[in-house]
Amino acid sequence: MLPTLGDFRRDQLAIAALFSFLGFQYATWASRLPALKDRFDLGGTEVGLLLMAAGVGAAVSFPLVAPLMRRLGARRLALWSALALAAVLPVLAAAGSYPLALLVILLDGMAVGCLNVAMNAQGAALESHYGRAAMAQLHATFSGGSLGGALLASGVNTVTHSVTAHFAVAAGLGVLLLAGSRPRVLTDAPAPPAVEQPAGSGKKGLRSLTGASRTALVLGCAMVFGTVVEGAMNDWSALYLTEETGASGRLAPLGIAVVSVMMVAARLLGDGWRNWWGDARMVRVGSTMAGTGLALALLTGGTWPALVGFACVGLGMATVTPCLYVAAATEGPDALALVAAMGTTGLLAGPALIGFVAGHTDLTTGMAVVAASAVLVAVCSGWVRFKEREGEPVPH
């Protein structure tokens, strides 16, 4: 029997639960950083190390992800790593010392790295199976999960200040979400493209293999530049508004808000745009729009031009990461793991790079690096042949 639109929506909802769970879990423990800081009597440096431990754990996990994907499959890897993340919450609440908390967050980062790759492989499998774009909306649900985690933290905190109670409730809700999604999570993932090796033509086969590796590396570079843009906008937009444009403390938070709102809205609509224009054009036009819009705002100066430039970044970059993940998934689990790892590198190194540039020049120059990074995504994507989705859309 041919798959129906209802089948597609149910499978999409199940995979969206994985994305939203990841955002929910991260927002849950990150929202209680002040309580953890007070419990362990931490300074700013120690809190920074706690946050860095999550990134280090994610980076450490990536050499393990591809073998685990081949052994377990994307479905089992996603579910097992999500359950591990649910278990992290009560364990972190019970941690009796700062070193133990660091270890727990390191393990949290490793599980995040596994789930990140597996759930994006699931998203790519969904698109391949049904012939419909879905990845942009899936990435939007991550932000929805983060919002849910923040709201739950606020609600629980009005009733009790107990981190243990909060994390127990959050873990229980997370397990229920996973249990509801489990039956519809896909059992397959897109296979890596075959490498042609005709008889007596070993050199051609070697060239094909090298070409595939080069594609993965170029995709990884595009992901690095893209995540540099996303990370830097989150960390530096408010400071740019206050230090370079003279914005008031009331207006400064609008920098992050404008980027976030535009990105979520564009991701909710982005799959329709991908169907209409194709992934290649979405990546190239979107990243060019982000880079040129931000550059023009920096040249113009002022608070309101900056907010317009930030809106261009949110709108333009919204579908870039989802499209890059889909392209990497078609290259196989090794490529997907590499691209995800390089994306994590961009998120970790990007804000620090902007800070280094700003420290030696000014923040306007630092933000110019962000604009250049967006344009470099478009340059890198020119070397990638994005695979067209095969098959007709699922009938209504």
Side-chain angles (χ1 to χ4, degrees), residues 119-278:
M119 71 185 189
N120 277 287
Q122 282 279 307
L126 179 73
E127 293 197 350
S128 177
H129 182 68
Y130 287 100
R132 297 178 69 94
M135 191 69 89
Q137 290 184 356
L138 292 175
H139 278 255
T141 62
F142 173 87
S143 300
S146 298
L147 175 61
L151 292 175
L152 177 67
S154 178
V156 171
N157 206 37
T158 60
V159 178
T160 174
H161 296 303
S162 171
V163 174
T164 300
H166 175 203
F167 284 5
V169 170
L173 290 175
V175 170
L176 288 176
L177 181 64
L178 294 173
S181 67
R182 179 181 176 274
R184 299 294 306 192
V185 175
L186 300 180
T187 57
D188 58 346
V195 178
E196 297 181 3
Q197 290 184 324
S201 182
K203 290 183 178 180
K204 183 176 180 180
L206 180 60
R207 284 196 298 271
S208 297
L209 179 60
T210 304
S213 300
R214 186 184 301 116
T215 298
L217 185 59
V218 173
L219 282 168
C221 290
M223 185 68 82
V224 167
F225 293 127
T227 52
V228 163
V229 175
E230 292 188 29
M233 293 305 298
N234 287 331
D235 289 356
W236 290 103
S237 58
L239 280 174
Y240 173 80
L241 289 175
T242 55
E243 294 184 3
E244 300 294 325
T245 73
S248 65
R250 180 175 57 88
L251 287 177
L254 288 180
I256 297 175
V258 165
V259 175
S260 299
V261 168
M262 291 300 293
M263 185 165 287
V264 171
R267 281 179 171 170
L268 290 173
L269 300 172
D271 290 318
W273 299 343
R274 291 174 60 209
N275 282 329
W276 188 263
W277 287 300

Side-chain angles (χ1 to χ4, degrees), residues 5-47:
L5 180 62
D7 293 328
F8 169 75
R9 292 301 183 198
R10 284 187 288 271
D11 289 348
Q12 183 185 32
L13 187 61
I15 298 170
L18 298 175
F19 281 80
S20 61
F21 171 81
L22 184 58
F24 175 82
Q25 194 270 356
Y26 174 77
T28 295
W29 73 261
S31 67
R32 300 311 295 266
L33 275 175
L36 295 174
K37 180 176 182 291
D38 292 341
R39 176 197 292 184
F40 300 123
D41 192 24
L42 305 180
T45 301
E46 288 85 1
V47 173

Side-chain angles (χ1 to χ4, degrees), residues 253-354:
L254 288 180
I256 297 175
V258 165
V259 175
S260 299
V261 168
M262 291 300 293
M263 185 165 287
V264 171
R267 281 179 171 170
L268 290 173
L269 300 172
D271 290 318
W273 299 343
R274 291 174 60 209
N275 282 329
W276 188 263
W277 287 300
D279 287 6
R281 187 174 297 177
M282 290 301 299
V283 172
R284 293 165 194 166
V285 173
S287 54
T288 300
M289 173 196 297
T292 55
L294 181 58
L296 289 173
L298 297 175
L299 289 172
T300 303
T303 300
W304 295 108
L307 291 175
V308 173
F310 294 171
C312 289
V313 173
L315 178 62
M317 298 302 295
T319 58
V320 168
T321 300
C323 290
L324 293 177
Y325 271 121
V326 170
T330 63
E331 296 291 319
D334 292 322
L336 182 57
L338 173 65
V339 170
M342 295 180 73
T344 300
T345 301
L347 282 173
L348 290 173
L353 172 64
I354 304 310

